[in-house]
C-alpha cells in the first residue's frame, strides 16, 4: 500500500504521535496529512508530528471531530501517510494573514519555483491543491476566490474547527501552529485522482434574490427588496419567529447546472440573516430541503469508485452541521462505515472549499 | 451603452478556458460564486458600472 491511514485516541500528544508512527512503520513516508482534535495543544502536536516524520512534508489542522476508515471519532488524531509511489511532489506554503490577497500570490510564487511552471500553466489533471484554513477567520471565500483567479488547479479542503468551542482554530505546517492563516499544499499525485462534492439537499421551487447585503459580514439585509428573514419565512410559508428553527433543514443554495452550492444561515439579527459563508448582491438563491446524508454519500462514493475503478485513499472534509445532523439521527456509525473499505481520513469542518467556500457539504479528494 | 458585460465575460472564458469545456464550466461557476451569472447578460444588457468594475479587477488575475 502506498497510502496508509491511521488514528489514535491516546491521551497525550507523545503517545498519539508514537502510536501513529508505529502504524506507519514500513512505509517510506513522503507526506503526512493529519487532523487533530482541539484537546491537543496546537504548538505541541504540530512540533511533535513534524519531529516524528522529519524527512516528510507534514501538515494538518484542528477539528470539530475526526473521520478515519470506518469511524467517526472525537478527541482523536487521524492521519494519512503517502509514499513516493503515491505522491511524486508536494510543496506547502503558509498564508499567514488570510485577509491579505498578497499572501496567496506569495504562496503561488513558492509553488512556481518548486514546480518550475507558472500556476496558470499547471495541468489540473496532474496537480491538485489542498487548503486548510482558520475556521474562525471569516476569510475563506477571499482566499479560495483568489486561488481560483490565479490557477485552474482545483484546491479542495476545509476550515479548521475547535470542537464547537468557537474560540480558536489552528492550521499546522513546518512544525508550527498558525491562526488567521491558511495552509496551501500543492501536490503532484503519482496516481489518478478525483473529487466528490456532496450535499444532501433538493432545490425547492422557491427562489430568493439577494437585493441588499453586507458582503464582508456575510449578512443578507434584503431578499427581493424585503427584510431578509421575513422573505425567507414567507418562502417557506411559516411565521418569521419559526424561521431560525428551519435553518439546518432548509438552507439556501446557489444552484449551478443543477448542483447546489449551499449557503447556511447562522442567525437572524434585526430582521437580517447572517450566513456561514459569503452571499453576494444579485445572487439568486434557491430554498433547499434536506435529503438523506447516508444514501447521498453512498451514491457519491459509488460514482467515484466507478469512475476511478478503485480507491486507494480518501480525504473527507465534512461539514460540522452534517456531523451534528448525523449525531442527532444516531447515524454516525453508519456514515463512518461508508468509508470502511479504503484508507480514509477527514474531519468535521467549519466550512468546506471546492471552487468556492461552501456550507453543509462534504468535499472529498479521492486517489485511485 | 449596452453589451459590454457580455463581451467581457465571453472574453474571460475564451482566454482562460480556450476550448476546454470542463474549464469553461469551472470558470462560469467561479463567476457565479462572485455574483456574476453569465447567463443573465446579453449583448443588449445595460453596462452596469459595478459589474464592469468587478470584471475589470478579475481580468487582471484571470489572464
Amino acid at each position: 500500500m502506498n497510502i496508509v491511514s491511521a488514528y489514535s485516541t491516546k491521551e497525550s500528544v507523545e503517545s498519539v504521535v508514537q502510536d501513529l508512527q508505529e502504524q506507519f512503520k514500513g512505509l517510506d513516508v513522503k507526506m503526512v496529512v493529519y487532523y487533530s482534535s482541539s484537546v491537543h495543544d496546537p504548538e505541541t502536536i504540530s512540533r511533535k508530528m513534524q519531529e516524528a516524520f522529519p524527512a516528510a512534508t507534514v501538515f494538518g489542522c484542528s477539528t470539530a471531530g475526526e473521520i478515519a476508515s470506518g469511524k467517526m471519532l472525537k478527541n482523536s488524531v487521524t492521519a494519512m501517510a503517502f509514499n513516493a509511489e503515491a505522491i511524486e511532489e508536494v510543496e506547502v506554503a503558509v498564508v499567514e494573514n488570510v485577509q491579505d490577497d498578497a499572501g496567496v500570490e506569495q504562496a503561488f510564487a513558492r509553488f512556481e519555483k518548486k514546480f518550475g511552471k507558472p500556476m496558470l500553466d499547471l495541468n489540473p489533471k496532474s496537480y491538485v491543491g489542498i487548503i486548510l484554513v482558520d475556521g474562525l477567520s471569516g476569510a475563506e471565500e477571499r482566499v479560495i476566490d483568489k486561488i481560483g483567479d490565479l490557477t485552474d488547479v482545483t484546491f479542495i479542503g476545509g476550515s479548521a474547527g475547535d470542537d464547537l468551542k468557537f474560540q480558536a482554530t489552528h492550521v499546522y505546517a513546518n512544525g508550527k501552529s498558525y491562526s488567521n492563516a491558511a495552509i496551501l499544499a500543492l501536490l503532484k499525485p503519482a496516481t489518478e485522482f478525483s473529487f466528490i462534492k456532496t450535499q444532501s439537499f433538493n432545490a425547492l421551487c422557491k427562489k430568493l434574490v439577494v437585493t441588499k447585503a453586507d458582503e464582508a459580514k456575510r449578512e443578507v439585509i434584503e431578499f427581493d427588496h424585503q427584510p431578509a428573514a421575513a422573505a425567507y419565512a414567507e418562502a417557506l410559508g411559516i411565521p418569521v419567529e419559526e424561521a431560525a428553527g428551519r435553518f439546518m433543514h432548509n438552507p439556501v443554495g446557489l444552484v449551478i447546472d443543477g448542483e447546489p452550492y449551499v449557503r447556511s444561515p447562522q442567525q437572524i439579527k434585526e430582521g437580517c440573516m447572517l450566513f456561514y459563508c459569503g452571499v453576494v448582491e444579485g445572487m439568486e438563491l434557491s430554498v433547499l430541503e434536506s435529503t438523506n446524508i447516508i444514501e447521498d454519500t453512498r451514491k457519491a462514493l459509488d460514482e467515484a469508485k466507478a469512475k476511478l475503478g478503485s480507491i486507494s485513499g480518501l480525504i473527507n472534509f465534512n461539514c460540522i452541521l452534517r456531523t451534528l445532523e448525523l449525531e442527532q439521527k444516531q447515524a454516525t456509525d453508519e456514515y463512518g462505515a461508508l468509508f470502511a473499505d479504503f484508507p480514509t481520513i477527514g474531519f468535521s469542518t467549519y466550512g468546506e472549499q471546492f471552487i468556492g467556500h461552501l456550507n453543509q457539504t462534504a468535499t472529498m479528494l479521492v486517489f485511485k | 451603452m449596452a453589451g459590454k458585460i457580455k463581451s467581457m465575460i465571453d472574453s474571460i472564458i475564451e482566454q482562460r478556458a480556450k476550448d476546454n469545456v470542463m474549464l469553461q464550466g469551472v470558470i462560469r461557476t467561479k463567476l457565479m460564486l462572485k455574483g456574476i451569472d453569465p447567463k443573465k447578460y446579453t449583448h443588449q444588457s445595460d453596462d452596469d458600472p459595478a459589474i464592469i468594475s468587478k470584471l475589470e479587477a478579475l481580468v487582471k488575475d484571470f489572464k
Side-chain angles (χ1 to χ4, degrees):
Chain A
M1 288 225 285
N2 299 319
I3 301 177
V4 178
S5 65
Y7 71 91
S8 178
T9 53
K10 296 204 181 291
E11 281 189 17
S12 73
V13 170
E14 289 75 11
S15 321
V16 164
V17 172
Q18 196 179 3
D19 193 7
L20 295 173
Q21 252 180 325
E22 278 167 21
Q23 294 178 66
F24 292 149
K25 207 181 271 177
L27 190 76
D28 188 6
V29 178
K30 187 178 177 80
M31 180 179 95
V32 178
V33 188
Y34 68 100
Y35 303 119
S36 169
S37 162
S38 64
V39 295
H40 296 298
D41 176 66
E43 293 292 344
T44 313
I45 188 81
S46 189
R47 190 178 70 251
K48 294 281 182 189
M49 281 297 287
Q50 184 63 70
E51 284 171 3
F53 305 99
T57 301
V58 182
F59 61 97
C61 70
S62 60
T63 72
E66 304 76 49
I67 297 167
S69 296
K71 285 177 194 303
M72 291 191 90
L73 300 160
K74 295 275 182 201
N75 305 326
S76 73
V77 178
T78 183
M80 183 170 268
F82 300 73
N83 68 10
E85 303 294 311
I87 298 291
E88 277 181 28
E89 292 289 347
V90 54
E91 181 73 0
V92 163
V94 182
V95 177
E96 289 208 48
N97 177 5
V98 282
Q99 277 77 25
D100 182 2
D101 287 346
V104 173
E105 287 167 7
Q106 284 159 12
F108 276 26
R110 187 184 172 109
F111 294 149
E112 288 178 354
K113 195 172 169 196
K114 165 83 178 181
F115 292 94
K117 281 183 186 173
M119 286 299 286
L120 258 182
D121 291 352
L122 292 183
N123 183 347
K125 285 186 179 166
S126 304
Y127 295 85
V128 61
I130 294 176
I131 172 172
L132 301 172
V133 55
D134 183 332
L136 299 177
S137 64
E140 291 100 323
E141 43 277 281
R142 191 183 183 104
V143 179
I144 194 77
D145 278 9
K146 187 71 184 173
I147 288 170
D149 293 350
L150 296 173
T151 185
D152 295 327
V153 171
T154 301
F155 275 71
I156 188 167
S159 307
D162 67 349
D163 296 297
L164 296 172
K165 295 191 286 269
F166 299 107
Q167 289 167 355
T169 69
H170 305 273
V171 292
Y172 308 132
N174 311 316
K176 293 180 186 168
S177 168
Y178 304 86
S179 285
N180 196 38
I183 304 295
L184 304 184
L186 183 61
L187 283 55
K188 187 166 193 282
T191 60
E192 205 179 318
F193 57 88
S194 187
F195 308 102
I196 293 173
K197 168 187 166 292
T198 179
Q199 59 290 308
S200 291
F201 294 102
N202 282 331
L204 299 174
C205 297
K206 306 280 184 185
K207 289 194 174 153
L208 296 165
V209 177
V210 181
T211 46
K212 193 172 179 189
D214 184 336
E215 292 171 15
K217 289 186 184 163
R218 296 173 170 171
E219 181 180 42
V220 176
I221 300 161
E222 290 178 1
F223 282 125
D224 301 317
H225 304 288
Q226 289 183 70
Y232 171 80
E234 193 183 314
L236 287 170
I238 55 168
V240 72
E241 298 75 33
E242 291 174 21
R246 298 288 285 271
F247 286 170
M248 197 186 266
H249 181 60
N250 294 114
V252 295
L254 178 66
V255 180
I256 304 173
D257 297 330
E259 183 75 11
Y261 289 71
V262 183
R263 332 322 267 157
S264 300
Q266 182 193 39
Q267 58 171 296
I268 293 172
K269 201 175 162 188
E270 294 165 7
C272 303
M273 288 175 70
L274 289 166
F275 283 78
Y276 284 113
C277 72
V279 274
V280 180
E281 277 184 18
M283 261 186 185
E284 185 181 85
L285 300 171
S286 295
V287 179
L288 307 176
E289 182 178 57
S290 64
T291 55
N292 186 310
I293 292 177
I294 302 289
E295 281 176 21
D296 295 336
T297 307
R298 182 181 289 122
K299 189 169 167 246
L301 287 168
D302 286 347
E303 283 168 6
K305 269 185 241 172
K307 183 179 174 190
L308 294 173
S310 63
I311 295 176
S312 66
L314 183 147
I315 304 178
N316 183 355
F317 306 96
N318 187 52
C319 179
I320 180 62
L321 295 176
R322 285 165 57 91
T323 302
L324 291 173
E325 186 181 332
L326 290 165
E327 285 174 356
Q328 220 173 49
K329 293 179 174 168
Q330 298 183 314
T332 52
D333 288 349
E334 208 181 340
Y335 185 78
L338 296 172
F339 304 92
D341 294 341
F342 37 81
T344 296
I345 62 160
F347 70 101
S348 297
T349 64
Y350 283 178
E352 306 74 59
Q353 287 83 45
F354 178 74
I355 304 180
H357 177 52
L358 314 167
N359 301 136
Q360 280 179 278
T361 298
T363 59
M364 304 181 207
L365 173 56
V366 192
F367 297 95
K368 180 174 178 167
Chain B
M1 293 290 284
K4 187 169 179 186
I5 295 174
K6 163 85 174 149
S7 301
M8 288 180 83
I9 291 171
D10 287 350
S11 157
I12 285 170
I13 294 173
E14 201 269 326
Q15 283 183 34
R16 182 74 175 254
K18 302 193 168 59
D19 295 329
N20 185 324
V21 178
M22 188 271 290
L23 269 186
Q24 287 172 2
V26 170
I27 290 164
R28 279 195 197 96
T29 302
K30 286 178 183 175
L31 288 169
M32 287 188 74
L33 289 167
K34 291 171 192 290
I36 303 166
D37 182 352
K39 285 187 206 138
K40 272 191 183 168
Y41 297 98
T42 68
H43 290 297
Q44 283 71 49
S45 302
D46 288 341
D47 292 346
D48 179 341
I51 301 290
I52 288 172
S53 114
K54 236 181 197 181
L55 286 167
E56 279 170 349
L58 270 179
V59 166
K60 278 200 294 179
D61 284 338
F62 258 55
K63 275 185 179 171

